[in-house]
Amino acid sequence: MKRNKWLLSLIIALAALISGSALAAGSVNIASNEYISETYSDYITRGCVLGDTLYLSGRSHLFTYHIGEDEVAALDYEEPEAEEDEFRDFVQLFSDGESLYMLSSIMYSDEESYFLDRLEILPIELDGQSARFGEPVEADVSELTVDYGDDNEYLVQINDACCVNGTLLMSVYDSSYQPAVYAMDIESGDGYYIDDLEQPMGITPYEDGQVLISTYDYSDRTFTFYLYDVEEEELSPAREPIAFDEDKFEYFGGMAYSAESGRLFYLSGGYLMAMKDFDYENAEPVAELSLLYSGEGQGGLLLPGDYYVYISHESTYIRSTDPEALPDVRLIVQNNGMGDSVMNAYNDFFSAHPDVAVVLNSNYISPESMVEGMMNRDDSVDIYMLSVSSESYEAVFNRGFMAELTSETLTSAIREMYPAIQEVLMRDGKAVGIPVSVYSWMPGFDYEGWEKLGYAREDVPKSWKEFLEMLPELAKGLPEDGSVILFPEYETQEAARMEMIDAIMEAWRMHLSATGQEPRYDDPQFAELLNLAMTMDYGALGLPEGNDEEGYVYSVSASGDRIHELFTFSTGCSLGNFYNTYVEPALLEVVPGEGAEIPLSITVAFVNPFSKHVDLAQEFLETLLGDLDDQVTYNLSDKRNEPVRSPYMLEYIEETKETLEDVKAQLETADPVDVPSLEENIQSLEQSIADMEENSWSISPESIEWFRAHDDLLAVQRCDYINAADDDGEISDMAQQMLDGRMKVEDFLKELDRRVRMRAMEGN
Amino acid sequence: MRNKPRRMRRNRSLWLFLLPPSVGLLIFYVVPFFAGIYYSLTDGSYTNAFVGLKNYAEIWHNEMFLLGLRNTMELSLICAPLVWVLAFVIAVLLNRLRPSGALLRNSILLPYLMPASAMLLVWLLFFDYGGTLNRIIHLLGMERVAWLSGAALRFPVVLLFVWKNLGFAVILFLSALQAVPEPLYEYARLEGASLARQAVSITLPLISPTAMLVIIVEWISAFKIFREVYFIGGAYPDEAVYTLQNYMNNMYNRLNYQNVTSAAYSFAMIVFVLFGILFAMLGRAQRKLN
């Protein structure tokens, strides 16, 4: 009897182990857009489930996936023919439970505008490794167009869609930019908006021909779930409204209902949650699923066996919803929001560590909560990401609440970084964090414009004082053809005054911080600069009082060349951020002779010293370091100096070249009357290609050269006494009073200096 | 012996009744008290090392802590006696008006009951550079004063404190005065005692416990002057009104709990010593009066 019991226990344990691992093995990140675009020159837009197959649609392929597979399989299809000047877009792939369909929009372009010509429901016939579109059903578009104010007409934005009983239901932003649900009969193409739905958020098929719709009431901040009977066209609430949870910041994104298990799945705080019978209070996490932009993908698909599918911009995620399959080891990363690098690291780490759940939680956590948690030895978060200029970072850095990084990969990478950056990553000689974002903005000059006014590079002002004193004279010497102006055309007098004051203050603060000086603002030199900026007659510098009501429109000078804007208040300065190719950072000194600084804003990822998974967290940081994009890595040290082209621009150049070849082919057989316009088109395309090739740099050789030549001026923005001392907004109020002329510059600086000095005297 | 079981039962019932409030007292007073001491003796870092009195030494060498402490003591030495004297005088006058002074008696308590934030707004308007007080001053031919900035802010702060706390002190004095037997004054008048002599020989000795209570309550309230200063002057008001509470509040906002607790316990010790001296002095004075 004992032996039988032992055998039975062993069998049960083995069965659990096998089933558990099989279910866990179903959780994958597949079909990343990077993989698809590299392998197939395509990218995934939408998807749906039919039977046990997940179908994913790209521009020219359909992809299929089954649970247990590692990769997708591609099916080719031929795009239906379109007339000249028509542009087809595949908007939504969907299934009615028996067949596949594609909702496709056709835009028409004439010389004046661009508008939605028709919307088609295309049945898809599958045949082995290929697919074919059947005869389209034209849909009624009268209620599905929107004008975004540019005189063009577009299809409304479709967020989510599902098909129930032959009706395609779509959550959209209607022509008034309001969220709504549109129901379309897929046989006739007729449709209507569902009435009495305030602020619908998500939509998913339910049971018995019903659809589940979530709505949010902004006035009382509650969510309500409704059941909509498609046949009867009746709406009824599914349960009592749920109050919005400020801590969890839940909005039930990516909803999917499983009739199989009676559970409603939704995304929350890096987890996939499940609630049964709308029992929200007892919802439980069943899988981890972290998304960067969870509102912009397509969630809410289920494969048989309750495998949840979410299609985002980065990747398609499949998750088992068996709570037993959720890994016990969880790595919680707080305040991510750091873009593609973090998502890439998340995907790569997932692949390498399927037994670890990485939860990226971007819900806001206040500095007080974070530091108090650390003081209480809280281990609920493993990795934090904070801006170096924040008070939180200052607080944890000073107190040593950052685990020492012992990984050789991390420490050796840090040792190679610029000294200014190492300073904020090392404490008492030990590495404690890695940078995950680096950028720099500062005022800029268009040196070509200065040259046109007769100023060689060495004659261009080197200090703020010199620049401000020179402005009135410069204004008098501007050419009449308007080819050179002092400031960007969109600037107004008041805006320019405010931005000038801001720029000078930023430069002053950075200078004090970088030179290790005590903060002081009641300084005669600083006051002089602010007075110059405040008393400047910006109208005499050519700036209008207010903006044109029609908005800002880039223009050219009378000669047809681009207009040179001598001074720009803010231009990208870090590598990968030099987006304006005509402007170079100005490097104006606040104190003549003391040099200028290049301010760096850095966000650092570090490990909570109380984390139970310090080594695992370091492994994640290693993955993250390896996945940092060029915009970060190029600014960390001088090791990488190869220019980088923008992949999107390269792709666009290739597409334009293809278009050029098509037009050239048309020219060979064109009627004589069409030849001039085709030749003009060819010339225009060739010029576009040349311009794009010149401007296709993501990191240009010139920007690398400039940055490396000035990397001794790099200074990291630390926690600023002004921000810290302005808890109640009084400093901001006083600054506004000064700008309005109600407070003298000297009085403002005296008051500012007093506060900052008192703050400094209080100590850390 | 026969009563022993009953006494034991009574003691057990007594302890059972005392248990809930004792637990509450333990959790919300005793434990935080000792936890605060612990915080003040550590460095608040990752290792949370014990540093002894280093935090105390640091704050006692900190200019802002000393400034706040000095201002707090000065303000309390101005406000508490002022309220005490005014409250006594008003209570004596009201006592003479009874029962017809009932409306006045009830009205004088109103400021104490009003929400401070709402009243601060009214006072801000009153003391504003273009406000009522400055208009009166201007009408009298004098220069306007910037009451809400600089060292002049002390005046509205003191005035606001007196205005708010006067009523409660008056009520306390009034109830004590009303308890003094009238025949004593009659006998004193018959004996030819002046008003002042009556006050010194009859009134003060009989109301001395209440008088002590009023000075203690008002002094403690004066130590806690902060809300008005913060509302008007912000986290960093003029140095003349920067109080110890400002310092502790700013340290708290910067999550420097070591400095907050060190400052708080330092001040607590000062208050403990001061009140010890005060009790001794008042006790001696009372014995003399008796």
Side-chain angles (χ1 to χ4, degrees):
Chain A
M1 189 67 172
K2 249 191 192 174
R3 195 167 158 229
N4 287 345
K5 272 191 181 173
W6 182 85
L7 267 174
L8 188 61
S9 306
L10 181 62
I11 290 166
I12 291 170
L14 277 172
L17 190 64
I18 289 165
S19 62
S21 59
L23 283 165
S27 292
V28 288
N29 297 347
I30 57 115
S32 70
N33 268 329
E34 198 180 308
Y35 157 69
I36 294 290
S37 57
E38 278 177 8
T39 310
Y40 298 100
S41 298
D42 204 345
Y43 58 92
I44 291 180
T45 54
R46 295 284 179 177
C48 72
V49 171
L50 179 59
D52 65 350
T53 307
L54 171 66
Y55 290 91
L56 303 167
S57 68
R59 282 285 302 142
S60 51
H61 297 83
L62 265 183
F63 300 95
T64 62
Y65 178 80
H66 300 91
I67 292 296
E69 291 173 355
D70 289 331
E71 290 182 339
V72 299
L75 306 176
D76 294 317
Y77 54 64
E78 201 175 300
E79 192 172 314
E81 283 185 12
E83 301 290 331
E84 194 179 335
D85 296 330
E86 282 188 347
F87 304 93
R88 182 181 289 279
D89 193 19
F90 293 126
V91 177
Q92 183 69 50
L93 183 68
F94 66 94
S95 150
D96 65 355
E98 290 174 3
S99 304
L100 270 187
Y101 296 86
M102 179 71 81
L103 188 68
S104 173
S105 66
I106 295 93
M107 301 292 290
Y108 180 78
S109 170
D110 60 24
E111 284 180 6
E112 291 175 355
S113 61
Y114 188 64
F115 56 90
L116 178 66
D117 186 55
R118 58 190 189 280
L119 189 65
E120 291 179 346
I121 301 168
L122 296 163
I124 299 174
E125 293 153 15
L126 299 166
D127 177 20
Q129 291 305 304
S130 64
R132 208 163 52 84
F133 290 112
E135 280 302 308
V137 170
E138 197 165 318
D140 176 18
V141 300
S142 55
E143 290 186 292
L144 291 175
T145 57
V146 63
D147 178 352
Y148 291 120
D150 55 359
D151 294 331
N152 294 324
E153 194 182 75
Y154 302 91
L155 177 67
V156 294
Q157 181 182 326
I158 297 172
N159 301 317
D160 254 332
C162 61
C163 188
V164 172
N165 287 0
T167 303
L168 176 66
L169 294 114
M170 302 177 283
S171 73
V172 304
Y173 284 106
D174 64 17
S175 54
S176 310
Y177 320 126
Q178 295 300 313
V181 177
Y182 189 82
M184 180 194 293
D185 186 304
I186 63 174
E187 279 188 21
S188 65
D190 297 329
Y192 59 92
Y193 281 103
I194 298 177
D195 292 327
D196 301 324
L197 262 183
E198 293 289 329
Q199 302 292 330
M201 305 279 287
I203 182 168
T204 182
Y206 192 64
E207 296 168 358
D208 303 326
Q210 293 176 310
V211 159
L212 179 67
I213 303 172
S214 66
T215 64
Y216 182 63
D217 187 330
Y218 282 92
S219 57
D220 60 11
R221 293 163 68 83
T222 55
F223 287 93
T224 305
F225 290 102
Y226 288 96
L227 293 175
Y228 180 71
D229 189 309
V230 176
E231 289 290 332
E232 304 296 326
E233 297 184 15
E234 278 175 4
L235 201 62
S236 57
R239 61 151 282 164
E240 289 294 311
I242 300 171
F244 177 65
D245 190 322
E246 297 271 1
D247 293 328
K248 293 180 191 171
F249 209 76
E250 269 174 348
Y251 60 93
F252 303 99
M255 259 192 347
Y257 177 76
S258 165
E260 197 178 312
S261 59
R263 292 183 295 173
L264 176 65
F265 301 106
Y266 59 94
L267 298 169
S268 171
Y271 288 103
L272 179 66
M273 305 293 288
M275 66 164 138
K276 204 165 163 58
D277 301 326
F278 297 107
D279 183 9
Y280 167 72
E281 288 73 23
N282 291 311
E284 59 170 354
V286 294
E288 57 75 29
L289 181 53
S290 299
L291 300 167
L292 193 58
Y293 308 111
S294 58
E296 294 184 21
Q298 181 190 345
L301 299 177
L302 288 175
L303 282 163
D306 271 5
Y307 283 87
Y308 179 89
V309 180
Y310 194 97
I311 304 164
S312 79
H313 293 297
E314 297 84 36
S315 189
T316 297
Y317 301 94
I318 315 279
R319 289 291 183 270
S320 162
T321 60
D322 178 4
E324 300 299 318
L326 184 59
D328 290 330
V329 177
R330 299 178 202 183
L331 209 59
I332 314 294
V333 181
Q334 184 69 44
N335 282 351
N336 57 317
M338 283 299 116
D340 295 341
S341 305
V342 175
M343 286 311 300
N344 292 340
Y346 167 75
N347 291 330
D348 290 341
F349 196 82
F350 180 91
S351 306
H353 300 84
D355 54 335
V356 176
V358 176
V359 179
L360 306 179
N361 190 347
S362 57
N363 292 344
Y364 173 71
I365 180 170
S366 67
E368 295 81 13
S369 304
M370 194 184 71
V371 176
E372 278 170 16
M374 285 184 163
M375 290 174 78
N376 289 325
R377 301 323 201 224
D378 180 24
D379 61 0
S380 60
V381 175
D382 300 289
I383 296 173
Y384 286 100
M385 295 189 191
L386 291 175
S387 166
V388 169
S389 61
S390 66
E391 267 196 273
S392 320
Y393 190 84
E394 188 83 357
V396 297
F397 189 86
N398 288 340
R399 287 169 176 73
F401 286 138
M402 301 164 89
E404 184 192 344
L405 301 178
T406 52
S407 151
E408 182 56 32
T409 308
L410 297 175
T411 52
S412 60
I414 290 168
R415 277 196 295 272
E416 291 189 345
M417 293 179 189
Y418 285 119
I421 297 176
Q422 281 190 44
E423 249 182 61
V424 299
L425 303 177
M426 303 197 66
R427 190 175 185 275
D428 298 333
K430 296 175 188 159
V432 291
I434 63 162
V436 293
S437 91
V438 180
Y439 61 90
S440 175
W441 293 84
M442 62 190 302
F445 283 144
D446 180 344
Y447 283 96
E448 274 184 31
W450 284 91
E451 229 174 304
K452 272 181 162 271
L453 296 183
Y455 290 88
R457 197 168 263 264
E458 51 271 17
D459 299 324
V460 173
K462 300 288 181 292
S463 72
W464 277 102
K465 185 165 185 288
E466 208 183 327
F467 171 64
L468 289 167
E469 286 173 344
M470 200 188 266
L471 275 175
E473 280 307 306
L474 285 172
K476 288 177 192 163
L478 294 175
E480 284 182 11
D481 63 357
S483 58
V484 181
I485 55 178
L486 287 179
F487 301 103
E489 284 185 292
Y490 52 76
E491 292 289 353
T492 62
Q493 290 173 30
E494 271 322 295
R497 188 190 314 277
M498 193 167 67
E499 289 185 73
M500 193 72 82
I501 299 283
D502 268 346
I504 295 170
M505 287 201 68
E506 284 292 326
W508 180 263
R509 285 151 72 176
M510 197 68 235
H511 182 66
L512 291 178
S513 169
T515 50
Q517 297 181 54
E518 285 296 317
R520 69 176 195 284
Y521 295 90
D522 192 14
D523 182 285
Q525 281 179 314
F526 185 40
E528 188 186 3
L529 291 179
L530 288 187
N531 269 317
L532 279 170
M534 276 296 299
T535 55
M536 184 81 59
D537 182 357
Y538 290 92
L541 299 182
L543 288 173
E545 261 192 63
N547 270 324
D548 191 338
E549 279 181 6
E550 289 184 357
Y552 174 63
V553 177
Y554 277 99
S555 55
V556 295
S557 67
S559 61
D561 295 331
R562 71 170 181 90
I563 293 179
H564 295 273
E565 299 163 347
L566 278 193
F567 179 77
T568 308
F569 286 106
S570 185
T571 188
C573 179
S574 43
L575 293 175
N577 204 16
F578 267 82
Y579 73 97
N580 188 338
T581 51
Y582 305 119
V583 175
E584 207 175 293
L587 290 178
L588 291 168
E589 299 172 339
V590 278
V591 178
E594 285 193 13
E597 288 76 32
I598 298 175
L600 289 180
S601 296
I602 295 184
T603 298
V604 170
F606 61 93
V607 178
N608 180 358
F610 308 111
S611 162
K612 287 197 177 71
H613 314 292
V614 171
D615 291 337
L616 200 58
Q618 284 199 67
E619 282 187 52
F620 183 82
L621 290 189
E622 284 175 6
T623 310
L624 179 55
L625 189 70
D627 280 328
L628 289 177
D629 53 34
D630 296 334
Q631 273 197 350
V632 180
T633 57
Y634 269 70
N635 295 296
L636 297 179
S637 71
D638 59 1
K639 296 286 179 276
R640 298 187 65 191
N641 295 297
E642 317 80 42
V644 177
R645 296 249 183 210
S646 161
Y648 306 108
M649 287 297 285
L650 286 178
E651 193 181 319
Y652 197 54
I653 289 170
E654 286 306 313
E655 286 177 10
T656 312
K657 282 181 177 171
E658 283 173 18
T659 308
L660 177 63
E661 293 309 312
D662 288 342
V663 174
K664 281 182 176 171
Q666 285 177 36
L667 184 65
E668 284 172 12
T669 56
D671 288 335
V673 69
D674 294 328
V675 165
S677 68
L678 286 171
E679 282 176 344
E680 197 183 326
N681 201 1
I682 288 171
Q683 206 176 0
S684 167
L685 285 169
E686 284 172 344
Q687 182 61 47
S688 290
I689 290 169
D691 287 342
M692 281 191 287
E693 280 176 341
E694 191 185 326
N695 296 312
S696 66
W697 294 108
S698 177
I699 302 177
S700 68
E702 294 80 17
S703 67
I704 293 172
E705 189 187 336
W706 186 93
F707 197 83
R708 298 292 178 238
H710 295 91
D711 59 13
D712 56 324
L713 302 179
L714 295 177
V716 178
Q717 287 176 318
R718 302 298 297 264
C719 176
D720 192 277
Y721 278 148
I722 288 185
N723 290 338
D726 195 21
D727 284 344
D728 47 7
E730 283 226 355
I731 293 176
S732 314
D733 287 343
M734 288 192 308
Q736 191 58 51
Q737 285 182 39
M738 181 186 70
L739 279 168
D740 294 341
R742 291 181 286 138
M743 186 186 254
K744 288 186 200 168
V745 165
E746 288 76 10
D747 292 339
F748 168 70
L749 291 180
K750 206 169 170 179
E751 186 59 26
L752 179 63
D753 192 71
R754 184 185 66 75
R755 286 167 181 269
V756 169
R757 197 172 33 81
M758 285 174 82
R759 200 256 186 222
M761 282 162 62
E762 280 177 346
N764 282 329
Chain B
M1 286 294 283
R2 257 187 320 185
N3 286 335
K4 201 172 177 185
R6 192 191 292 176
R7 197 163 57 234
M8 280 173 65
R9 275 201 303 275
R10 198 168 56 226
N11 283 347
R12 194 165 58 223
S13 301
L14 184 70
W15 280 111
L16 278 173
F17 274 112
L18 282 175
L19 193 61
S22 302
V23 168
L25 199 70
L26 189 73
I27 293 172
F28 297 111
Y29 282 92
V30 176
V31 168
F33 181 79
F34 286 104
I37 294 177
Y38 169 73
Y39 271 125
S40 70
L41 299 175
T42 56
D43 66 359
S45 72
Y46 160 61
T47 53
N48 213 26
F50 178 80
V51 293
L53 298 175
K54 185 174 169 233
N55 292 328
Y56 289 93
E58 269 177 20
I59 61 156
W60 277 98
H61 282 91
N62 185 286
E63 286 178 60
M64 297 308 292
F65 167 77
L66 293 172
L67 174 68
L69 183 63
R70 186 173 72 238
N71 284 337
T72 298
M73 299 307 289
E74 283 177 10
L75 281 170
S76 67
L77 284 171
I78 297 170
C79 292
L82 193 57
V83 168
W84 194 96
V85 167
L86 286 174
F88 179 71
V89 167
I90 292 172
V92 164
L93 290 172
L94 282 177
N95 197 32
R96 288 177 179 275
L97 287 174
R98 55 176 167 160
S100 54
L103 180 63
L104 200 57
R105 269 200 304 276
N106 295 337
S107 315
I108 210 164
L109 201 50
L110 274 177
Y112 190 77
L113 302 172
M114 284 180 187
S117 312
M119 295 321 300
L120 274 169
L121 286 170
V122 175
W123 281 73
L124 279 176
L125 289 171
F126 184 76
F127 282 102
D128 189 59
Y129 195 72
T132 311
L133 181 61
N134 269 331
R135 285 188 194 191
I136 295 171
I137 289 172
H138 189 62
L139 276 172
L140 294 173
M142 292 184 279
E143 285 288 322
R144 294 178 196 238
V145 178
W147 297 109
L148 299 179
S149 59
L153 184 53
R154 268 204 182 188
F155 180 69
V157 168
V158 169
L159 207 60
L160 190 54
F161 178 85
V162 169
W163 176 80
K164 186 147 176 61
N165 293 281
L166 190 63
F168 187 64
V170 166
I171 297 299
L172 287 176
F173 271 129
L174 199 55
S175 60
L177 286 169
Q178 286 172 354
V180 175
E182 186 60 31
L184 287 178
Y185 291 110
E186 286 178 17
Y187 295 149
R189 280 196 292 275
L190 286 171
E191 293 292 325
S194 66
L195 280 173
R197 186 62 199 271
Q198 286 174 47
V200 169
S201 301
I202 299 171
T203 311
L204 278 177
L206 288 176
I207 69 164
S208 58
T210 303
M212 267 183 68
L213 176 67
V214 168
I215 194 71
I216 289 165
V217 165
E218 294 310 321
W219 209 355
I220 290 173
S221 295
F223 281 146
K224 293 191 280 188
I225 290 176
F226 169 67
R227 191 170 36 200
E228 300 85 356
V229 172
Y230 185 79
F231 195 84
I232 300 171
Y236 296 95
D238 188 86
E239 289 182 2
V241 288
Y242 177 88
T243 64
L244 190 58
Q245 288 271 23
N246 282 97
Y247 175 81
M248 291 197 290
N249 190 62
N250 294 339
M251 286 293 109
Y252 178 79
N253 285 339
R254 284 215 288 284
L255 311 169
N256 189 335
Y257 302 135
Q258 280 60 43
N259 277 14
V260 175
T261 49
S262 305
Y265 285 104
S266 298
F267 187 60
M269 288 307 299
I270 293 170
V271 171
F272 184 73
V273 167
L274 275 175
F275 274 86
I277 296 170
L278 184 67
F279 275 121
M281 282 169 59
L282 289 174
R284 196 180 301 165
Q286 184 165 12
R287 280 194 296 277
K288 245 189 184 170
L289 282 170
N290 290 342

